[in-house]
């Protein structure tokens, strides 16, 4: 099984591997390293001012030999700049792909196509995939329930991907969620996907803007140590997410997973790099400049955490993913 697919043709890319948008843990350095290694590097720009988003994207695009994409979260409850302003700022940098998630992509597709940029949309079901394709999206990302970070649907990757492939045969499908090594990439391709998007795996890279203590937990944790639900709804309510078990999720679960009146909800557990307090249930990713009880803030990770053993340079990760995918595919030759 070769690794050339409709996705590698469309972008174009050397390998059908996408570094997922991993919120504030994305950095121009990470995106550049992945792009230089033959994958698609991505910046998640939702929590940056529009000007800063454009600057970061321009920097990554200028530094990289390969393609760079940007992710914008559409849900207005996620916060961030005005959507059209943010999308226009990204388009000014001329990325290879604009990836929209957590909302209806339809109203934004024409704006992006007018600037000759490809649009990808995350979906959590086959019917969402069909609607996205009908709206003109060029690529769908099928995100399974085992994914890390915020999770769009409640179907696991294994049944979701073939259902989405059947629902949108005319466009490339990218599998996301639960893929931690090259065997998972080969499996996604066997299911009919044209590529794989990995998030948790790339949190544990040298170039990711992730605090050491967060990455240590990702490297140590087993698949059984993630929690899916809505504990960390401060700043982005109403969207389930998957994080590693910690003191905060244990207290929340022991109290019956409450929506209101969560135990210790007024605790200030850490401070951001800007000095802003981080409360116990805030949606605040542990970037290296966060100071305080790192183990209490949301340690976003998927069940693929089981397959992540250590923090490594992103280029090495991509090279290993490719070699492992080829080895796995060779079993069928
Ligand atoms: C730390 C972290 C932050 C994330 N932030 C975003 C984001 O900003 N936008 C988005 O669409 N998805 C986000 N996700 C979801 C990923 O893009 C992707 O769907 C997921 O990581 C795939 O599952 P995996 O972690 O098992 O690889 C995030 C995931 C993680 C682990």
């Amino acid at each position: 099984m070769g690794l050339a697919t409709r996705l590698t043709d469309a972008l174009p890319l050397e390998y059908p591997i996408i570094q997922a948008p991993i919120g504030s843990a994305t950095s121009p350095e990470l995106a550049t390293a992945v792009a230089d290694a033959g994958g698609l590097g991505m910046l998640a720009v939702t929590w940056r001012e529009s000007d800063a988003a454009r600057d970061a994207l321009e920097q990554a695009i200028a530094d990289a030999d390969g393609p760079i994409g940007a992710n914008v979260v559409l849900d207005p409850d996620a916060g961030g700049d005005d959507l059209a302003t943010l999308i226009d700022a990204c388009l000014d940098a001329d990325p290879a792909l604009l990836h929209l998630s957590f909302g209806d992509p339809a109203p934004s597709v024409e704006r992006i196509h007018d600037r000759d940029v490809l649009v990808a949309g995350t979906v959590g079901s086959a019917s969402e995939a069909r609607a996205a394709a009908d709206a003109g999206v060029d690529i769908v990302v099928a995100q399974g329930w085992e994914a890390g970070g915020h999770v769009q649907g409640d179907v696991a990757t294994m049944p979701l991907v073939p259902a989405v492939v059947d629902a949108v045969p005319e466009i490339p499908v990218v599998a996301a969620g639960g893929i931690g090594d090259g065997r998972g990439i080969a499996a996604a391709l066997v299911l009919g996907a044209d590529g794989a998007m990995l998030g948790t795996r790339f949190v544990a890279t040298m170039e990711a803007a992730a605090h050491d203590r967060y990455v240590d937990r990702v490297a140590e944790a087993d698949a059984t140590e993630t929690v899916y639900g809505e504990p960390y709804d401060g700043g982005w309510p109403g969207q389930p997410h998957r994080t590693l078990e910690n003191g905060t999720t244990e207290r929340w679960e022991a109290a019956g997973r409450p929506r209101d009146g969560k135990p210790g909800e007024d605790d200030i557990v850490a401070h951001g790099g800007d000095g802003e307090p981080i409360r116990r249930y805030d949606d605040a990713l542990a970037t290296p400049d966060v100071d305080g009880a790192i183990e209490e803030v949301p340690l976003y990770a998927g069940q693929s955490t089981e397959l992540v053993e250590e923090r490594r340079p992103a280029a090495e990760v991509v090279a290993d993913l490719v070699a492992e995918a080829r080895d796995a595919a060779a079993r069928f030759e």
Side-chain angles (χ1 to χ4, degrees):
M1 185 170 75
L3 297 182
T5 67
R6 292 182 297 176
L7 181 79
T8 59
D9 284 348
L11 279 162
L13 278 177
E14 205 172 339
Y15 306 120
I17 297 173
I18 302 182
Q19 167 243 311
I22 45 173
S24 308
T26 57
S27 65
E29 293 75 16
L30 174 59
T32 302
V34 172
D36 287 351
L40 178 70
M42 294 274 282
L43 278 175
V45 297
T46 305
W47 298 279
R48 297 176 194 247
E49 297 289 327
S50 292
D51 288 345
R54 182 178 45 239
D55 291 351
L57 208 44
E58 280 175 348
Q59 186 195 327
I61 290 168
D63 290 350
D65 291 330
I68 301 286
N71 166 257
V72 172
V73 169
L74 298 172
D75 183 351
D77 289 344
D81 230 338
D82 167 69
L83 195 58
T85 310
L86 185 58
I87 288 177
D88 284 347
C90 292
L91 292 171
D92 287 346
D94 198 21
L97 175 78
L98 204 56
H99 168 215
L100 308 173
S101 50
F102 301 103
D104 179 7
S108 307
V109 169
E110 198 180 328
R111 183 179 211 96
I112 301 167
H113 278 168
D114 280 349
R115 305 278 287 270
D116 286 331
V117 172
L118 291 173
V119 188
T122 289
V123 301
S125 67
S127 57
E128 259 182 43
R130 191 59 257 160
D134 289 342
V137 157
D138 304 292
I139 295 163
V140 295
V141 177
Q143 189 208 35
W145 179 81
E146 55 272 66
H150 288 79
V151 182
Q152 203 158 313
D154 46 22
V155 182
T157 301
M158 187 68 95
L160 177 66
V161 171
V164 168
V165 167
D166 288 348
V168 293
E170 72 277 28
I171 57 172
V173 174
V174 174
I179 303 173
D181 63 21
R183 293 171 296 182
I185 296 172
L189 298 182
V190 169
L191 291 176
D194 298 275
M197 176 182 270
L198 292 80
T200 302
R201 174 62 272 189
F202 284 105
V203 169
T205 53
M206 301 300 181
E207 297 86 349
H211 198 287
D212 282 340
R213 300 220 291 278
Y214 169 26
V215 177
D216 286 348
R217 280 290 321 273
V218 171
E220 286 159 10
D222 297 335
T224 53
E225 290 173 59
T226 72
V227 177
Y228 170 84
E230 296 179 41
Y232 290 105
D233 62 0
W236 186 1
Q239 188 64 54
H241 37 271
R242 189 176 294 281
T243 58
L244 295 177
E245 280 173 356
N246 63 5
T248 299
T249 63
E250 272 167 28
R251 288 177 69 176
W252 174 72
E253 291 200 293
R257 298 182 150 232
R259 193 173 288 272
D260 301 310
K262 299 195 200 80
E265 62 186 8
D266 293 327
D267 298 350
I268 292 171
V269 293
H271 288 84
D274 52 6
E276 281 291 300
I278 296 173
R279 289 182 198 280
R280 182 172 290 283
Y281 296 99
D282 280 353
D283 159 36
L285 191 140
T287 47
D289 55 358
V290 170
D291 186 28
I294 300 300
E295 34 296 306
E296 300 295 329
V297 305
L299 305 173
Y300 294 113
Q303 294 179 346
S304 57
T305 191
E306 171 105 33
L307 302 167
V308 179
E309 302 294 335
E310 57 178 334
R311 186 171 204 162
R312 302 172 56 214
E316 278 183 31
V317 169
V318 174
D320 280 2
L321 292 173
V322 171
E324 291 161 2
R326 289 210 162 111
D327 280 353
R331 297 182 62 212
F332 300 100
E333 283 162 4

